[in-house]
Amino acid sequence: MQKQASRILEVRDLRISFSSRGIAKEAVRGISFSLGEDRTLAIVGESGSGKTVSALALTRLLPDPPVCRVSGEILYRGTDFLRMPEKKIRPYRGKEIAYIFQEPSTSLNPVYSIGYQIGEAIRQHLPQVEDVKQRVIESLARVGIRDPGLRIGDYPHQLSGGMQQRVMIAMALACEPRLLIADEPTTALDVTTQAQIMDLLKQLRDELHMAVILITHNVGIVADFADDVAVMFRGEIVESGPTDRILAQPEHPYTKALIGCIPQVGRKRRRLTTIDYASL
């Protein structure tokens, strides 16, 4: 078990509800988890299980009440973000805690060059950097963009999906955050590119000594990446623990069903496992 002093993030009884026309719907129902320095936690579950809204709540990126209400405790290095004024939490976003969002084609601004967008994060959080252009070039080189000095003037539509995702990673890591939240970083990418992106994230995580939260519905990518896994189902964490134990000896029926959906070479089966929600 991790010692209290080693924890960079601790979430206690997090609850998130959304209201529409006077009707409140609870999307996240009292989840708790912690993350240690230099550790990687994968939050796994299907679409609609509450993974992404939980990740957005960590730095208060969700709408304000009465549209959305968030309660519980979100302790980042001992400071409760839910009880901080907005102006004090803003400097943490992008510098201490960075995000890689889903669908880079919609996350990148189409009217600005990639160099400008990465530079914007540097200018905002690292005003001491004198040569922003050089820092942008170094950030692009770090994520494997060829000829970064020539590509900084490119616009998102000029890049492939894999290169757009690399730009998103470069933007997130430009200020060398202590915690990276990667929300479905391989969505809409082909299998080969998915593997390249995950290898890149693993390399950069080790190089920068970051803690990482990986949000994914794909159990297959967590085995070689995450130290720990938390399985979310209908707004709750139904099972959590070390990755090797969860994958080898799942206890909750939903976890077993998710793992059963992973295609495996040599396993003879006509169809993938069907998740029987009525039994959960």
Side-chain angles (χ1 to χ4, degrees):
M1 181 178 293
Q2 298 171 38
K3 297 180 180 180
Q4 179 74 21
S6 69
R7 291 174 180 168
I8 189 171
L9 178 72
E10 187 166 6
V11 176
R12 301 173 182 168
D13 194 29
L14 178 64
R15 297 179 180 273
I16 305 171
S17 62
F18 294 89
S19 296
S20 177
R21 299 179 180 179
I23 300 176
K25 175 68 174 179
E26 196 170 32
V28 176
R29 306 174 182 179
I31 68 171
S32 299
F33 62 88
S34 62
L35 178 65
E37 300 272 2
D38 299 335
R39 300 280 293 182
T40 298
L41 169 68
I43 301 180
V44 181
E46 62 190 342
S47 298
S49 61
K51 309 184 305 297
T52 295
V53 293
S54 297
L56 293 174
L58 297 181
T59 56
R60 303 223 323 247
L61 291 177
L62 294 172
D64 294 327
V67 175
C68 178
R69 297 187 183 279
V70 181
S71 64
E73 292 181 300
I74 299 172
L75 302 173
Y76 175 73
R77 299 175 65 192
T79 300
D80 190 351
F81 277 0
L82 290 184
R83 286 156 183 78
M84 286 179 67
E86 169 66 20
K87 65 179 180 180
K88 288 190 176 182
I89 197 173
R90 196 175 300 149
Y92 285 91
R93 300 177 184 140
K95 185 178 181 181
E96 290 272 335
I97 304 174
Y99 286 81
I100 301 172
F101 295 107
Q102 298 183 48
E103 299 289 354
S105 59
T106 57
S107 299
L108 292 169
N109 193 321
V111 302
Y112 292 107
S113 69
I114 60 172
Y116 177 87
Q117 294 183 64
I118 298 172
E120 190 174 31
I122 297 170
R123 288 187 291 270
Q124 176 70 28
H125 296 293
L126 300 176
Q128 71 274 19
V129 174
E130 296 181 358
D131 193 341
V132 174
K133 180 179 179 180
Q134 182 58 35
R135 182 69 174 250
V136 171
I137 292 173
E138 292 171 357
S139 297
L140 289 173
R142 174 186 279 169
V143 298
I145 298 291
R146 295 180 181 178
D147 301 319
L150 301 177
R151 305 309 297 265
I152 58 173
D154 287 355
Y155 289 82
H157 73 272
Q158 296 175 281
L159 307 177
S160 67
M163 289 183 68
Q164 288 178 354
Q165 192 62 287
R166 289 175 186 269
V167 170
M168 288 293 297
I169 296 171
M171 190 183 307
L173 302 186
C175 299
E176 300 189 353
R178 300 188 64 165
L179 170 59
L180 175 68
I181 301 172
D183 187 0
E184 300 281 8
T186 58
T187 296
L189 300 177
D190 61 76
V191 176
T192 301
T193 307
Q194 284 183 23
Q196 293 172 350
I197 293 298
M198 293 307 299
D199 286 344
L200 174 62
L201 286 175
K202 186 187 299 184
Q203 172 193 329
L204 294 173
R205 174 197 63 190
D206 297 341
E207 187 179 302
L208 298 175
H209 302 288
M210 296 181 297
V212 178
I213 295 178
L214 172 67
I215 309 292
T216 183
H217 66 274
N218 186 356
V219 184
I221 69 174
V222 307
D224 296 326
F225 188 77
D227 300 301
D228 303 287
V229 172
V231 181
M232 283 196 74
F233 176 63
R234 293 180 177 174
E236 300 178 351
I237 292 179
V238 296
E239 188 168 3
S240 62
T243 301
D244 53 357
R245 181 183 68 77
I246 295 294
L247 295 182
Q249 298 176 322
E251 297 179 358
H252 194 274
Y254 181 70
T255 309
K256 293 178 181 178
L258 282 180
I259 295 173
C261 288
I262 304 174
Q264 295 182 11
V265 176
R267 183 170 64 180
K268 295 181 179 180
R269 181 177 293 181
R270 291 181 178 273
R271 301 180 63 180
L272 295 178
T273 302
T274 299
I275 298 178
D276 183 7
Y277 293 97
S279 66
L280 299 177

